[in-house]
Amino acid sequence: MRQYSERMSRLTGSAIRQIMKLMSDPEIISLGGGNPDPESFPVEKIREITDQLLREKPTQMLQYGVTNGYLPLREAALEHLFRPKNIQADLENVIPFTGSTQGIYMILDMFIDPGTPVLIENPTFLGTLNVIKKLGAKIIPVEMDGDGMLMDDLEAKIKAHQPRLLYTIPTFQNPTGRTLPLERRKRIAELAAEYDVIVIEDDPYGDVRIKGTPLPPIKSFDTAENVILMNSFSKIIAPGLRVGAAVGAADLIQQMEKVKQGLDTHTASLPQAICAEFLMRGLLPDHLRTITAIYGERLDAMLQGLERYFPADADFTRPEGGLFVWVQLPGIKNTGKLLERAISECKVAFVPGTPFFLEETQGLDTLRLNFSSSTPQQIDTALQRLGGLIQEEYNK
Ligand SMILES: Cc1ncc(COP(=O)(O)O)c(C=O)c1O
């Protein structure tokens, strides 16, 4: 018998990755993943940048690098990503990592002992939820409404549990697409300062804004240096590069560096340098305009399809960006079962809502739809088929 560590028994693996395995059939229209549109990857620009980097800096690109990150990327992230969002920070406050998955993991690892109280949105991003579970935290869900976490409940739970950490995705949340309003952002920073809670502000979608006015991150209101903002290049350039960067208090960044030494020594230099060049050449704003124009059409197709083909009592979010729409279907008892029929009978996939919740009994009538990786036509077809199936279930 292999004897794994006790924490491995708490690791469930990603339900979404399991579902994705079922979908090898190329005829299936998938509204299930969370992938950016591959057609929109800036392939030519990346090729040109890569050629130049390998010509001009071959040793730096291929030799071991430093753990605290490729300096031009740290500078570029400050100049192009963090300071324009009103975040006061310097080089000592920035560390790149291997996808924000790694950055989030490092912070969780730094603060969670078995039984450590941690606050989360419920539902929340499954990847992070699984790590928090694995580390054995005492997980405390905060109540949400259509705009995200409720501040009264947050404060009550902070007082009751004295949590060390709060994990939040304030903009175009995964899975719900919800965005936390300005006043609540300020309030979170205030509460974090007052009760000494570390806030992990996970923001892979904030720059994927299709319409509406950008909101300042919670980090921009952080007077007590308790908020650490996680940025990712996955959704704004390409996820296969596996690059993200955090901005936070210098002591936190130093601790992350120590943890990172034992994880991967440093994030691969070439992808870090590609992201840095992309920013320094000023390519990001145009690229964001291109992808958000594409995603805007897809989001419209999704919202129209939901109106047209889903039952009148279906409740769904209307995000102004990101990748996801969240749907609640009061007439469906178990969207996991619906998925089995949807795949086999309609060749349509989505993600049932339950795995994003803390308890397996929650969110049984919810599902997450992704609009970034299918064309408007595919989205319309998929929702028409799915809507028909849901009507059948409603009529049973
Ligand atoms: C909320 C959230 N955080 C983090 C990640 C991980 O992103 P990365 O590719 O930067 O590791 C994702 C990916 O889908 C996500 O949705």
Side-chain angles (χ1 to χ4, degrees), residues 172 204-210 235-236 291-292 295 320-323:
F172 312 136
Y205 304 113
D207 288 326
V208 190
R209 178 172 279 280
I210 295 164
K235 307 294 162 29
I236 59 176
I291 57 175
T292 51
Y295 293 177
E320 295 186 326
L323 307 189

Side-chain angles (χ1 to χ4, degrees), residues 99-101 104 125 167 169 174 202 204-205 232 234-235 242:
S100 57
T101 302
I104 296 163
F125 172 49
Y167 172 71
I169 310 156
N174 182 4
D202 187 12
Y205 304 113
S232 169
S234 291
K235 307 294 162 29
R242 306 307 302 130

Side-chain angles (χ1 to χ4, degrees), residues 129-206:
L129 184 59
N130 282 339
V131 178
I132 299 177
K133 281 185 183 167
K134 184 188 92 169
L135 293 171
K138 177 179 165 201
I139 307 176
I140 301 142
V142 178
E143 300 287 320
M144 297 168 88
D145 66 6
D147 290 331
M149 269 187 296
L150 292 167
M151 294 302 104
D152 288 349
D153 192 56
L154 176 63
E155 185 167 10
K157 287 187 173 150
I158 291 176
K159 282 184 179 159
H161 300 280
Q162 283 130 25
R164 256 185 231 171
L165 286 176
L166 163 66
Y167 172 71
T168 176
I169 310 156
T171 311
F172 312 136
Q173 198 233 19
N174 182 4
T176 64
R178 291 172 187 152
T179 293
L180 202 70
L182 183 67
E183 288 311 314
R184 295 195 202 177
R185 289 170 188 245
K186 289 185 187 163
R187 186 71 188 133
I188 290 180
E190 276 169 21
L191 290 170
E194 188 177 343
Y195 295 98
D196 208 12
V197 180
I198 298 291
V199 178
I200 305 175
E201 180 176 17
D202 187 12
D203 187 30
Y205 304 113

